[in-house]
Amino acid sequence: MTTASIPLPRPASAIGRVPTWPLPLAVIVFAYAGIPLFASDYLYDAILAPFLALSLAAVGLNILTGYAGQVSLGSAAFMAVGAYAAYNFNLRVEGLPLLASIVFAGLIASAVGVVFGLPSLRLKGFYLAVSTLAAQFFVQWTLTKFSWFSNYNPSGVIDAPALNVFGYVFEGPHGRYLFSLSVVVALTVFAARLVKTQTGRNFIAVRDNETAARISGVPVLHTKLLAFAISSFIIGVAGVLWAFAYLRTVEPHGFNLDRSFQILFIIIIGGLATIRGAFFGAALIVVLPLVLSRAGTFLFGSYFDSGVLDMSQRILVGALIIVFLIAEPDGLAALGNRIARRLRLKSPTN
Amino acid sequence: MESFDFPFFIEVLVGGLLSGIMYSLVAIGFVLIYKTSGVLNFAQGALLLFAALTFVSLLERGVPFWITFAVTLAIMAVIGILIERTVLRPLVNKPPITLFVATLGLAYVLEGGAQLLWGTQVHGLDLGIDDVPYVVGGVFISTFDLFAAAVAASIVLLLTIVFRYTRIGLAFRAVADDQFAALAIGLKLPVIWAAVWIAAGFVALVAGLLWGARLGVQFSLSLVVLKALPVLVLGGFDSILGAIVGGLLIGASEKLAEVYLGPFFGGGIESWFAYVFALAILLIRPSGLFGQRLVERT
Amino acid sequence: MGLVSTNVAEWGGAKSAARARQILTLRGVTLSFGGVTAISDIDLDVAEGEIRAIIGPNGAGKSSLINVISGVYRPDRGTIAIGDTVFADVPGSRVARLGIARTYQNLALFKGLTVLENVETGRAATVSSTFIEQVIGIGRARREEADTRARSEAVIDALHLTSVRDRLVGTLPYGVQKRVELARALVSEPRLLLLDEPMAGMTAGEKQEMAGFVLAARDRFNASIVLIEHDIGVVMGLSDRIAVLDYGRKIADGTPDAVRADQRVIDAYLGVAHDDDIIEESNA
């Protein structure tokens, strides 16, 4: 912990100093202008749509768990709250624009998040982690039990509304992609700014040393609840994207405990307390089963059915988590940094 | 209130207490590992599934009961040692939450592995106990539940004897009290950890058989872990007594709530009731049921 | 001059009234953990502009005393007056706004933040803008951030930390981290600064530098200081008055010269043979 480090040859630049915006900007430009040049419907619907929704959820969870240090096992519940709230605002409030429905849905998720975040004021560590499971089960139960939430639809599965923003309808795989992308970019920029403000520093201070934070004047209780609120807002909106732009139906079963774990795994594989890690992790988690399925079919033929695929995927994801925790606890983001540094050291121009 | 059916109340209560013991049995597996290595082992449910699935699959292939039991136990021991070697040892001295997530990953590996190995179909498991209800003073009590309770009680007794009166038990308690001191006096932590994982594997096997006989041996068996977590929150992660009392409390309150409060909510509240109950108690009494524990500690 | 009176209320009161306003007044403060008494019936006064040392063998209750003053521990009995406000139990969440800042015996920095960010967090209590204003970067949020940055940079310069400003604190040597902690405390411009062994584990050169910073904290940043330090030489040179604790009780209180000559202090240090804080160090 307090081991003295060998001074690096160049001043070890902190993340904040060097201008960090050109690279993300390039990525955003590529996402808007580059990807549509070659993307197929399959890429949009089966890969990019879940990738964007899960990335956003992971950005949200990272604020709570990575930055503020409060472990949550109930992320999928807040996605569900967001999805159902947006659906009901859209259904029940005449003339409410879709974007407003989404913002209100985020606020509802936020409020639910604060309620389930209250135990964090007294509980820590495992006790808190277990208590967030209460959110998971309670929300899932509520949404299945009270059919008002699904507008008394007998199957509990309801069609998502069209993505209409001020009269323009985002249709088709490409349209839905642009919609998701825009929401994700907006909230990610927000999150990236947030973690560099005093509020963001307060999150990390509470995570790293709660007592010292309190004595230094960080409003600890307020900071924790704020982390729950902001995180749940973002995760709630991710739930809207998941339901409206990816599945195009709203159903409670997709927001189960496995989904919560999946989002937790994404931020661990991607790298805790990094924004870009959420995207790296989500990419891996989304692409992994597809690669596994291709590879399995190629190697084992028809023996590799969907059951076997499910199981091998489970094993692989679990093993990946363990490997990352042991070998690269700071996740893909740190791995990326190391590779970049090595490349830079090798290239003579720099 | 005049229509309050007292015998029925007792029946629900006893049923709840008996199923609470089944929760305790799962929770004890957690406590064993938590006490010695400070890990909340989320994979305990997966271990249970693995044990039950292995057991029932061997049994179905015509292997006699006791041989099956011994073989499964041996397999669980090997798995326990493997886990200690490959997962926990490299992560020693990491923050507790890292270890917790590692066991989450482990749960995935074990669940996937068990089903890849033995298939995903549901197996029935008959332990040869007729489920004829006893009638005591007009109250029906399930024979199977009584049997399960008796088994659970024996296990607790066995663990207590082992840990109180044997060398390994002494070492176990030394490690639980103070890892560094235990190291300093020359106790071999890996040996103790392996022993504890084997013990946890044994508890998982017994719990897996009892739960498997009741629910059928299938994937959802690993979800009993979710029933044990509120028990642990209530009783404390490091107390066997807490696991028992917590299990009884949760089992009883859950059944009573389902019967008497459930109708007001449209039923099915047992999926979350235990959590809300445990949290409510914890918010009123942050030190949990068994005083000394600091909730702040992670 | 022989024995120093241990009736401090009388002694300290008379003296400080003549000199300056009282910034901290402890009366009968007692703290125990599960039956073990950490500090017992302590009276202590700190006058404005004073450097007030607390010394004593390990386990004498020095750190507990600082933890009580800064609201980390709740005392069983006694009162703590900060300026004119009297507390039975100092609220930890209001300590910063009461004008108290501190450092820790075992470092309590935020490992995931850089030096600059750690120091900036010392200004957290002064921030009144909401997170939305901060994200957008308008109005008072912008002013606050600029103000925080400027003050943090100034303290970082003053404590010679500029070269490591953007390093994560966890990667820095121990002695430098100690300085970062002092910077985080100073940036809040405290009236009262509590330093819990700021020089522990430092080389002689680092200690000298830190001693200079402690003086600067008073002379340039106008903080009154409570200093816990094992190095008696440093303490004698720096402090205006010294209180000596042994087994949770105050056994002496007075000027460095008076304390040095006190028989009970000599006994406490030499008679009980606490090996890691030998008084001979004071001759260094």
Side-chain angles (χ1 to χ4, degrees), chain A residues 61-72 120 123-126 128-129 202-208 210 224 227-228 272-273, chain B residues 97 298:
Chain A
L61 182 62
N62 224 340
I63 292 202
L64 182 66
T65 301
Y67 287 94
Q70 313 294 307
V71 177
S72 164
S120 73
L123 305 181
K124 283 185 187 151
F126 298 138
L128 176 66
N202 287 353
F203 286 163
I204 295 176
V206 167
R207 175 195 75 190
D208 285 353
E210 191 173 318
K224 281 185 182 177
F228 269 96
L272 288 169
Chain B
I97 215 73
T298 48

Side-chain angles (χ1 to χ4, degrees), chain A residues 71 73 118-119 122-127 129-131 133-134 137-138 141 145-146 257-258 261-262 264-265 268 303 307-308 311-312 314-315 317-319 321-322 325-326 329, chain B residues 34 42 86 90-91 96-98 100-102 104-106 108-109 111-113 115-116 219 226 229 233 237 265-269 271-272 275 279 282-283 286 293 295-296 298:
Chain A
V71 177
L73 302 175
L118 286 174
R122 295 186 75 163
L123 305 181
K124 283 185 187 151
F126 298 138
Y127 290 91
V130 171
S131 80
L133 283 174
F137 298 125
F138 186 78
W141 174 81
K145 208 73 212 172
F146 301 100
L257 189 59
D258 265 348
F261 288 159
Q262 190 181 41
L264 182 63
F265 289 165
I268 284 166
Y303 173 75
V308 177
M311 292 312 133
S312 355
R314 238 181 147 71
I315 296 175
V317 167
I321 290 296
I322 296 170
L325 287 174
I326 293 172
Chain B
Y34 187 87
F42 198 86
T86 57
L91 287 173
I97 215 73
T98 303
F100 169 70
V101 178
L104 212 58
L106 190 60
Y108 270 53
V109 173
E111 285 162 8
Q115 294 180 93
L116 205 55
F219 174 72
L226 299 174
L229 288 175
V233 167
F237 290 120
F265 294 101
I269 64 173
S271 69
W272 53 264
Y275 284 88
L279 270 185
L282 215 55
L283 290 177
R293 164 169 66 85
V295 176
E296 270 87 8
T298 48

Side-chain angles (χ1 to χ4, degrees), chain B residues 55-78:
Chain B
F55 183 92
V56 81
S57 303
L58 291 176
L59 208 60
E60 279 171 5
R61 282 161 179 75
V63 183
F65 186 92
W66 288 110
I67 294 180
T68 302
F69 192 86
V71 169
T72 311
L73 195 57
I75 292 176
M76 295 315 289
V78 171

Side-chain angles (χ1 to χ4, degrees), chain A residues 12-34:
Chain A
S13 59
I15 315 100
R17 297 299 125 221
V18 208
T20 48
W21 54 267
L23 190 62
L25 187 68
V27 171
I28 292 172
V29 168
F30 175 72
Y32 273 105

Side-chain angles (χ1 to χ4, degrees), chain B residues 28-165:
Chain B
I28 287 170
F30 281 92
V31 172
L32 284 176
I33 289 173
Y34 187 87
K35 265 179 100 86
T36 38
S37 36
V39 184
L40 177 61
N41 175 31
F42 198 86
Q44 188 66 25
L47 281 174
L48 192 150
L49 169 73
F50 200 101
L53 210 51
T54 306
F55 183 92
V56 81
S57 303
L58 291 176
L59 208 60
E60 279 171 5
R61 282 161 179 75
V63 183
F65 186 92
W66 288 110
I67 294 180
T68 302
F69 192 86
V71 169
T72 311
L73 195 57
I75 292 176
M76 295 315 289
V78 171
I79 290 179
I81 292 166
L82 276 179
I83 291 172
E84 197 278 314
R85 285 279 153 81
T86 57
V87 181
L88 296 184
R89 207 179 290 181
L91 287 173
V92 81
N93 295 329
K94 288 285 166 64
I97 215 73
T98 303
L99 287 159
F100 169 70
V101 178
T103 66
L104 212 58
L106 190 60
Y108 270 53
V109 173
L110 287 170
E111 285 162 8
Q115 294 180 93
L116 205 55
L117 211 55
W118 302 115
T120 50
Q121 65 273 40
V122 182
H123 304 260
L125 175 61
D126 184 5
L127 296 177
I129 298 124
D130 290 330
D131 206 0
V132 209
Y134 272 112
V135 188
V136 185
V139 175
F140 286 84
I141 299 170
S142 145
T143 315
F144 182 83
D145 285 351
L146 275 180
F147 171 76
V151 171
S154 332
I155 293 243
V156 170
L157 203 65
L158 183 69
L159 288 175
T160 311
I161 291 169
V162 166
F163 288 127
R164 193 135 298 183
Y165 300 109

Side-chain angles (χ1 to χ4, degrees), chain B residues 192-211:
Chain B
I192 292 158
W193 279 335
V196 166
W197 275 89
I198 292 169
F202 170 68
V203 175
L205 172 58
V206 175
L209 295 186
L210 291 174
W211 278 97

